PDB file of all heavy atoms in Angstrom:
ATOM      1  N   ALA D  41      15.027  14.476  -2.663  1.00  0.00           N
ATOM      2  CA  ALA D  41      15.575  14.109  -3.971  1.00  0.00           C
ATOM      3  C   ALA D  41      16.706  15.056  -4.364  1.00  0.00           C
ATOM      4  O   ALA D  41      17.737  14.619  -4.896  1.00  0.00           O
ATOM      5  CB  ALA D  41      14.468  14.128  -5.022  1.00  0.00           C
ATOM      6  N   ILE D  42      16.532  16.345  -4.113  1.00  0.00           N
ATOM      7  CA  ILE D  42      17.593  17.314  -4.422  1.00  0.00           C
ATOM      8  C   ILE D  42      18.830  17.028  -3.577  1.00  0.00           C
ATOM      9  O   ILE D  42      19.953  17.049  -4.082  1.00  0.00           O
ATOM     10  CB  ILE D  42      17.079  18.753  -4.213  1.00  0.00           C
ATOM     11  CG1 ILE D  42      16.037  19.085  -5.269  1.00  0.00           C
ATOM     12  CG2 ILE D  42      18.238  19.749  -4.260  1.00  0.00           C
ATOM     13  CD1 ILE D  42      15.307  20.387  -5.036  1.00  0.00           C
ATOM     14  N   ALA D  43      18.641  16.739  -2.289  1.00  0.00           N
ATOM     15  CA  ALA D  43      19.774  16.415  -1.419  1.00  0.00           C
ATOM     16  C   ALA D  43      20.475  15.148  -1.894  1.00  0.00           C
ATOM     17  O   ALA D  43      21.708  15.057  -1.838  1.00  0.00           O
ATOM     18  CB  ALA D  43      19.301  16.258   0.020  1.00  0.00           C
ATOM     19  N   THR D  44      19.714  14.185  -2.380  1.00  0.00           N
ATOM     20  CA  THR D  44      20.303  12.947  -2.892  1.00  0.00           C
ATOM     21  C   THR D  44      21.154  13.213  -4.130  1.00  0.00           C
ATOM     22  O   THR D  44      22.269  12.694  -4.261  1.00  0.00           O
ATOM     23  CB  THR D  44      19.208  11.929  -3.216  1.00  0.00           C
ATOM     24  OG1 THR D  44      18.459  11.659  -2.035  1.00  0.00           O
ATOM     25  CG2 THR D  44      19.785  10.637  -3.756  1.00  0.00           C
ATOM     26  N   LEU D  45      20.646  14.023  -5.062  1.00  0.00           N
ATOM     27  CA  LEU D  45      21.406  14.325  -6.275  1.00  0.00           C
ATOM     28  C   LEU D  45      22.687  15.095  -5.956  1.00  0.00           C
ATOM     29  O   LEU D  45      23.739  14.818  -6.542  1.00  0.00           O
ATOM     30  CB  LEU D  45      20.536  15.101  -7.256  1.00  0.00           C
ATOM     31  CG  LEU D  45      19.386  14.318  -7.873  1.00  0.00           C
ATOM     32  CD1 LEU D  45      18.520  15.234  -8.726  1.00  0.00           C
ATOM     33  CD2 LEU D  45      19.903  13.155  -8.690  1.00  0.00           C
ATOM     34  N   VAL D  46      22.597  16.050  -5.043  1.00  0.00           N
ATOM     35  CA  VAL D  46      23.799  16.797  -4.652  1.00  0.00           C
ATOM     36  C   VAL D  46      24.809  15.866  -3.974  1.00  0.00           C
ATOM     37  O   VAL D  46      26.017  15.956  -4.220  1.00  0.00           O
ATOM     38  CB  VAL D  46      23.419  17.986  -3.739  1.00  0.00           C
ATOM     39  CG1 VAL D  46      24.640  18.625  -3.122  1.00  0.00           C
ATOM     40  CG2 VAL D  46      22.620  19.014  -4.528  1.00  0.00           C
ATOM     41  N   SER D  47      24.324  14.943  -3.148  1.00  0.00           N
ATOM     42  CA  SER D  47      25.215  13.992  -2.487  1.00  0.00           C
ATOM     43  C   SER D  47      25.879  13.051  -3.491  1.00  0.00           C
ATOM     44  O   SER D  47      27.069  12.742  -3.365  1.00  0.00           O
ATOM     45  CB  SER D  47      24.440  13.173  -1.454  1.00  0.00           C
ATOM     46  OG  SER D  47      23.929  14.002  -0.453  1.00  0.00           O
ATOM     47  N   LEU D  48      25.115  12.601  -4.486  1.00  0.00           N
ATOM     48  CA  LEU D  48      25.699  11.745  -5.519  1.00  0.00           C
ATOM     49  C   LEU D  48      26.748  12.490  -6.329  1.00  0.00           C
ATOM     50  O   LEU D  48      27.780  11.918  -6.697  1.00  0.00           O
ATOM     51  CB  LEU D  48      24.603  11.206  -6.437  1.00  0.00           C
ATOM     52  CG  LEU D  48      23.734  10.110  -5.858  1.00  0.00           C
ATOM     53  CD1 LEU D  48      22.600   9.782  -6.816  1.00  0.00           C
ATOM     54  CD2 LEU D  48      24.556   8.876  -5.565  1.00  0.00           C
ATOM     55  N   TRP D  49      26.499  13.759  -6.603  1.00  0.00           N
ATOM     56  CA  TRP D  49      27.486  14.564  -7.314  1.00  0.00           C
ATOM     57  C   TRP D  49      28.739  14.729  -6.459  1.00  0.00           C
ATOM     58  O   TRP D  49      29.863  14.619  -6.942  1.00  0.00           O
ATOM     59  CB  TRP D  49      26.899  15.918  -7.679  1.00  0.00           C
ATOM     60  CG  TRP D  49      27.661  16.677  -8.721  1.00  0.00           C
ATOM     61  CD1 TRP D  49      28.769  16.250  -9.389  1.00  0.00           C
ATOM     62  CD2 TRP D  49      27.395  17.972  -9.208  1.00  0.00           C
ATOM     63  NE1 TRP D  49      29.192  17.215 -10.269  1.00  0.00           N
ATOM     64  CE2 TRP D  49      28.361  18.290 -10.179  1.00  0.00           C
ATOM     65  CE3 TRP D  49      26.417  18.914  -8.931  1.00  0.00           C
ATOM     66  CZ2 TRP D  49      28.387  19.495 -10.852  1.00  0.00           C
ATOM     67  CZ3 TRP D  49      26.445  20.111  -9.619  1.00  0.00           C
ATOM     68  CH2 TRP D  49      27.409  20.394 -10.555  1.00  0.00           C
ATOM     69  N   GLY D  50      28.567  14.931  -5.168  1.00  0.00           N
ATOM     70  CA  GLY D  50      29.716  15.022  -4.264  1.00  0.00           C
ATOM     71  C   GLY D  50      30.494  13.725  -4.205  1.00  0.00           C
ATOM     72  O   GLY D  50      31.736  13.733  -4.181  1.00  0.00           O
ATOM     73  N   CYS D  51      29.792  12.603  -4.207  1.00  0.00           N
ATOM     74  CA  CYS D  51      30.478  11.307  -4.212  1.00  0.00           C
ATOM     75  C   CYS D  51      31.265  11.096  -5.501  1.00  0.00           C
ATOM     76  O   CYS D  51      32.355  10.525  -5.475  1.00  0.00           O
ATOM     77  CB  CYS D  51      29.470  10.180  -4.022  1.00  0.00           C
ATOM     78  SG  CYS D  51      28.794  10.085  -2.361  1.00  0.00           S
ATOM     79  N   SER D  52      30.714  11.566  -6.622  1.00  0.00           N
ATOM     80  CA  SER D  52      31.458  11.422  -7.876  1.00  0.00           C
ATOM     81  C   SER D  52      32.708  12.304  -7.875  1.00  0.00           C
ATOM     82  O   SER D  52      33.727  11.924  -8.446  1.00  0.00           O
ATOM     83  CB  SER D  52      30.569  11.753  -9.081  1.00  0.00           C
ATOM     84  OG  SER D  52      30.354  13.138  -9.195  1.00  0.00           O
ATOM     85  N   ILE D  53      32.634  13.462  -7.218  1.00  0.00           N
ATOM     86  CA  ILE D  53      33.823  14.312  -7.107  1.00  0.00           C
ATOM     87  C   ILE D  53      34.878  13.630  -6.255  1.00  0.00           C
ATOM     88  O   ILE D  53      36.065  13.625  -6.590  1.00  0.00           O
ATOM     89  CB  ILE D  53      33.444  15.693  -6.531  1.00  0.00           C
ATOM     90  CG1 ILE D  53      32.541  16.446  -7.507  1.00  0.00           C
ATOM     91  CG2 ILE D  53      34.687  16.514  -6.212  1.00  0.00           C
ATOM     92  CD1 ILE D  53      31.907  17.680  -6.927  1.00  0.00           C
ATOM     93  N   LEU D  54      34.465  13.020  -5.145  1.00  0.00           N
ATOM     94  CA  LEU D  54      35.419  12.321  -4.282  1.00  0.00           C
ATOM     95  C   LEU D  54      36.035  11.111  -4.984  1.00  0.00           C
ATOM     96  O   LEU D  54      37.208  10.808  -4.793  1.00  0.00           O
ATOM     97  CB  LEU D  54      34.738  11.878  -2.992  1.00  0.00           C
ATOM     98  CG  LEU D  54      34.383  12.977  -2.005  1.00  0.00           C
ATOM     99  CD1 LEU D  54      33.579  12.405  -0.846  1.00  0.00           C
ATOM    100  CD2 LEU D  54      35.637  13.642  -1.489  1.00  0.00           C
ATOM    101  N   LEU D  55      35.234  10.433  -5.793  1.00  0.00           N
ATOM    102  CA  LEU D  55      35.698   9.213  -6.438  1.00  0.00           C
ATOM    103  C   LEU D  55      36.560   9.506  -7.672  1.00  0.00           C
ATOM    104  O   LEU D  55      37.622   8.897  -7.847  1.00  0.00           O
ATOM    105  CB  LEU D  55      34.500   8.347  -6.832  1.00  0.00           C
ATOM    106  CG  LEU D  55      34.783   6.965  -7.364  1.00  0.00           C
ATOM    107  CD1 LEU D  55      35.486   6.124  -6.303  1.00  0.00           C
ATOM    108  CD2 LEU D  55      33.498   6.290  -7.776  1.00  0.00           C
ATOM    109  N   PHE D  56      36.128  10.460  -8.518  1.00  0.00           N
ATOM    110  CA  PHE D  56      36.802  10.692  -9.790  1.00  0.00           C
ATOM    111  C   PHE D  56      37.607  11.980  -9.844  1.00  0.00           C
ATOM    112  O   PHE D  56      38.301  12.223 -10.828  1.00  0.00           O
ATOM    113  CB  PHE D  56      35.781  10.699 -10.936  1.00  0.00           C
ATOM    114  CG  PHE D  56      35.043   9.404 -11.068  1.00  0.00           C
ATOM    115  CD1 PHE D  56      33.682   9.341 -10.809  1.00  0.00           C
ATOM    116  CD2 PHE D  56      35.697   8.255 -11.440  1.00  0.00           C
ATOM    117  CE1 PHE D  56      32.987   8.157 -10.931  1.00  0.00           C
ATOM    118  CE2 PHE D  56      35.011   7.057 -11.559  1.00  0.00           C
ATOM    119  CZ  PHE D  56      33.656   7.011 -11.307  1.00  0.00           C
TER     120      PHE D  56
END
Side-chain angles (χ1 to χ4, degrees):
I42 291 171
T44 301
L45 291 175
V46 170
S47 298
L48 286 174
W49 196 3
C51 288
S52 74
I53 294 169
L54 289 174
L55 187 62
F56 299 113

